[in-house]
Amino acid sequence: MLFRSPKAGVKIVDRPAESTKPRLDPEFAPYLLAEPLLMETEGAKVLRLEDGRVLVLGVASSALKDGSAADRKRAETIAKQRALAHIVSEKTGMQVARAETILKKTSVTIDAEAGEKAESVAEYLETTQAKVRGATRDFPIVGRWTSDDGTLFTVAVGGFLEAAEERGDEKGE
């Protein structure tokens, strides 16, 4: 059976809303859920656990533009880099600078022959500059979630370190 639909008659409808429920690594979920403020505020947290290990978590967000797969991947990459920068700045005491610029332009043209024509352009430029000297492991993403209004994509990166690693006493350091 062949089914054809003319392109002119096809309309893209709204896709289902993305779930805002956090997707958390089960090993890290208890720590993230125990500190709701950590999940709401960007930054880093270093916790010494009872078993002697050190838990390192970094949380950061990036704005979503259209929610497409490419947009979510872009937001995840930016947020992960920011989360790692938070960990480095927590470890070294340095700050990371960030600037955002939003430019909106609307133009309306009324032509007696062609009628009314409207054009709206919005540009969003975000620059993150980190002058942090330091290093950290490339911690994996251990949590992902989207804000309730769907405008921010947030990730948590983290890992467990032995106490010697946290102090920088690893072999060769």
Side-chain angles (χ1 to χ4, degrees):
M1 178 184 267
L2 181 63
F3 177 76
R4 292 184 184 203
S5 176
K7 287 183 181 179
V10 174
K11 180 180 178 185
I12 298 175
V13 295
D14 291 336
R15 55 182 170 214
E18 297 288 330
S19 171
T20 58
K21 183 179 176 190
R23 294 173 310 200
L24 306 175
D25 182 309
E27 191 173 14
F28 294 87
Y31 302 105
L32 288 165
L33 295 173
E35 297 257 354
L37 190 58
L38 178 62
M39 290 181 65
E40 294 173 15
T41 308
E42 292 191 17
K45 185 89 168 178
V46 179
L47 301 170
R48 189 165 307 279
L49 303 177
E50 292 177 8
D51 63 5
R53 295 181 304 161
V54 175
L55 170 63
V56 178
L57 291 170
V59 176
S61 305
S62 182
L64 287 171
K65 296 177 184 176
D66 60 15
S68 66
D71 185 38
R72 294 179 71 77
K73 182 64 178 165
R74 176 202 56 79
E76 180 176 292
T77 301
I78 291 170
K80 180 179 180 187
Q81 294 306 313
R82 285 186 185 161
L84 291 169
H86 286 308
I87 291 171
V88 171
S89 64
E90 176 75 17
K91 188 175 175 183
T92 63
M94 298 290 197
Q95 294 295 317
V96 177
R98 195 172 122 218
E100 295 180 24
T101 305
I102 299 174
L103 172 66
K104 292 183 180 180
K105 175 182 142 186
T106 303
S107 92
V108 177
T109 307
I110 300 176
D111 185 342
E113 293 175 16
E116 189 174 318
K117 175 182 155 187
E119 180 181 322
S120 178
V121 178
E123 290 183 29
Y124 181 79
L125 174 64
E126 185 174 331
T127 305
T128 302
Q129 184 175 25
K131 292 190 177 184
V132 176
R133 186 174 186 109
T136 190
R137 291 182 170 190
D138 187 15
F139 291 110
I141 294 176
V142 297
R144 295 172 174 85
W145 58 94
T146 305
S147 62
D148 290 338
D149 64 1
T151 61
L152 282 179
F153 184 73
T154 305
V155 300
V157 299
F160 295 99
L161 303 176
E162 297 303 320
E165 293 179 73
E166 190 261 338
R167 289 191 315 262
D169 296 339
E170 287 185 78
K171 293 179 227 169
E173 283 192 43

